[in-house]
Amino acid sequence: MAGASRIVGVLVLALAAVSLSVAYAADKTVYQYIIFGDSVTDTGNVFKDGGVPDPAIYFKGRFSNGPNWVDYINETLSSKHKVQIFNYATGGGVACRANLNSTRYPYSRDAVNQTGNFLADLAKGKLPTTKDTRRISLSWFAANDVIVGLTRALTSGADPATAGAQIVADLATCLAQHVATLAGAGVAEVALIPQSPVQVSPLVLDYLRPLVSQLVDAVDGALVKAVEAVNAQLGAAPAGSAASRAHVYLLGDSKWIGRIAPAVRPAFKYISENPCFVNPVSSMVLTPGIKVCENPNDYAFYDEIHPSTTFHKWFALHGLLPRLQLFRLAPRDV
Ligand SMILES: *[C@@H]1O[C@H](CO)[C@@H](O)[C@H](O)[C@H]1NC(C)=O
Ligand SMILES: *[C@@H]1O[C@H](CO)[C@@H](O)[C@H](O)[C@H]1NC(C)=O
Ligand SMILES: *[C@@H]1O[C@H](CO)[C@@H](O)[C@H](O)[C@H]1NC(C)=O
């Protein structure tokens, strides 16, 4: 009896294995990722328009010494699945237009412009759409709004607490508009990557780290409320409308991003203390003669604000991917 049930058990397992492999073989899903953000996410848009960052020290239009997180996610998913990437992120990208200085950085685009460029491409039929297409947006405006807003406040002598509250409120409003627009335009799965823990970057002076850290915590809290409000609106949208089918996924808060650099193995020799090199002006301004350190992957930060490719790889594969998989925004068999 025990023997028979064991045989039946084995048979059931064997059948399950067969049907699983059939399911995989039949998976025609095309994962189409529409990507928005700043230099951490740009895979060559600013380089195509403006020739920066300097190809002598940066990798193929990435603001790093090698591939960035978009490249790593694409590489991993593409090994088993059909993946399409449409990346609208630009170096200097910001969520709020008020934080854009187009005189200084003519090739940077804010979230409204990036979203508009996507919608224009969609209208022109540049994004393949079939019954197997899953269109998923990923937005990561990692740091610029906080940095620009805080720099403006500190140089104008504004009260940091008051200015900080305004920065947080504005950022939450701009991101809520961005994700609501995508949802309304027929992107059913809209993912928002949280604020990065800017306080750990070498750019931030030690005495300012506690203030920046508070600001980042406040952004984390504000985004939870903002995304909740957008999802409530989507839930109340007329049945059958694009919005009623959409959902916004906030992928946690800044804390998990902060835990990546200390977890990387082999361990970084330097995290916040110093980067591999510092740009005298900005990575968005060509400055010949910069000397890069010998072993960039000893550093969490390649320059004063941008992570090294080793960080990008860990962020992509050990941080972001499992979170996308948790919400079924990426296939689980990679
Ligand atoms: C994604 O990865 C695949 C496979 O490595 C590659 O052929 C494709 O060009 C990549 N797409 C982008 C946008 O980098
Ligand atoms: C924008 O950048 C220009 C050139 O660097 C600078 O002169 C100007 O003050 C900046 N504007 C703002 C609003 O920061
Ligand atoms: C984004 O900005 C660029 C530069 O100003 C402009 O050429 C482009 O038309 C803008 N896109 C949208 C959708 O407004």
Side-chain angles (χ1 to χ4, degrees):
M1 219 26 222
S5 69
R6 193 176 307 133
I7 289 168
V8 170
V10 168
L11 264 178
V12 168
L13 271 180
L15 281 175
V18 167
S19 61
L20 264 182
S21 63
V22 167
Y24 283 134
D27 183 12
K28 294 199 184 69
T29 306
V30 179
Y31 291 86
Q32 185 181 83
Y33 293 100
I34 320 296
I35 301 182
F36 303 95
D38 56 26
S39 50
V40 177
T41 299
D42 188 347
T43 44
N45 289 327
V46 157
F47 184 71
K48 184 158 50 71
D49 289 349
V52 286
D54 186 350
I57 52 177
Y58 289 94
F59 175 80
K60 297 187 177 170
R62 277 71 172 168
F63 290 74
S64 191
N65 58 317
N68 71 16
W69 69 268
V70 176
D71 299 310
Y72 287 119
I73 287 279
N74 173 47
E75 184 190 26
T76 296
L77 299 184
S78 299
S79 67
K80 286 201 183 167
H81 294 269
K82 292 199 189 74
V83 175
Q84 296 169 346
I85 304 276
F86 292 87
N87 190 349
Y88 295 90
T90 69
V94 289
C96 300
R97 173 158 291 184
N99 293 330
L100 201 63
N101 184 336
S102 342
T103 315
R104 188 174 293 169
Y105 303 128
Y107 308 108
S108 299
R109 305 284 179 254
D110 64 304
V112 172
N113 182 282
Q114 292 183 23
T115 313
N117 294 337
F118 156 62
L119 294 177
D121 284 351
L122 191 62
K124 281 184 236 157
K126 285 195 184 169
L127 285 83
T129 309
T130 71
K131 65 175 181 12
D132 296 317
T133 304
R134 266 183 71 190
R135 184 167 290 146
I136 300 166
S137 68
L138 301 177
S139 300
W140 193 18
F141 290 89
N144 290 330
D145 292 270
V146 165
I147 293 172
V148 171
L150 198 59
T151 306
R152 188 191 296 134
L154 292 172
T155 51
S156 73
D159 167 46
T162 314
Q166 194 61 52
I167 292 169
V168 172
D170 290 345
L171 181 49
T173 303
C174 296
L175 287 174
Q177 279 168 2
H178 169 63
V179 293
T181 304
L182 292 170
V187 181
E189 298 169 292
V190 178
L192 190 59
I193 302 174
Q195 183 67 28
S196 27
V198 196
Q199 67 273 15
V200 306
S201 79
L203 175 78
V204 175
L205 300 172
D206 278 337
Y207 84 97
L208 284 173
R209 290 191 204 278
L211 174 65
V212 176
S213 178
Q214 271 176 27
L215 211 56
V216 167
D217 284 351
V219 173
D220 282 340
L223 288 185
V224 170
K225 291 200 185 117
V227 168
E228 234 168 55
V230 172
N231 279 327
Q233 275 172 32
L234 298 176
S241 63
S244 73
R245 288 189 296 273
H247 189 78
V248 182
Y249 299 85
L250 175 60
L251 303 180
D253 63 20
S254 65
K255 299 288 190 266
W256 67 263
I257 302 178
R259 285 194 295 266
I260 303 257
V264 168
R265 293 294 175 270
F268 287 127
K269 293 190 175 141
Y270 311 96
I271 296 182
S272 302
E273 319 83 283
N274 49 308
C276 169
F277 70 94
V278 173
N279 284 289
V281 186
S282 154
S283 52
M284 299 275 285
V285 177
L286 273 184
T287 320
I290 291 177
K291 201 165 152 25
V292 170
C293 73
E294 211 165 294
N295 299 310
N297 291 318
D298 285 348
Y299 298 78
F301 287 89
Y302 185 51
D303 68 19
E304 63 282 359
I305 188 75
H306 300 113
S308 61
T309 192
T310 301
F311 178 92
H312 274 285
K313 187 170 192 173
W314 277 69
F315 168 83
L317 304 185
H318 301 282
L320 183 60
L321 182 58
R323 284 170 174 81
L324 293 173
Q325 289 170 326
L326 180 69
F327 293 113
R328 298 192 177 278
L329 300 169
R332 289 175 160 177
D333 60 335
V334 292

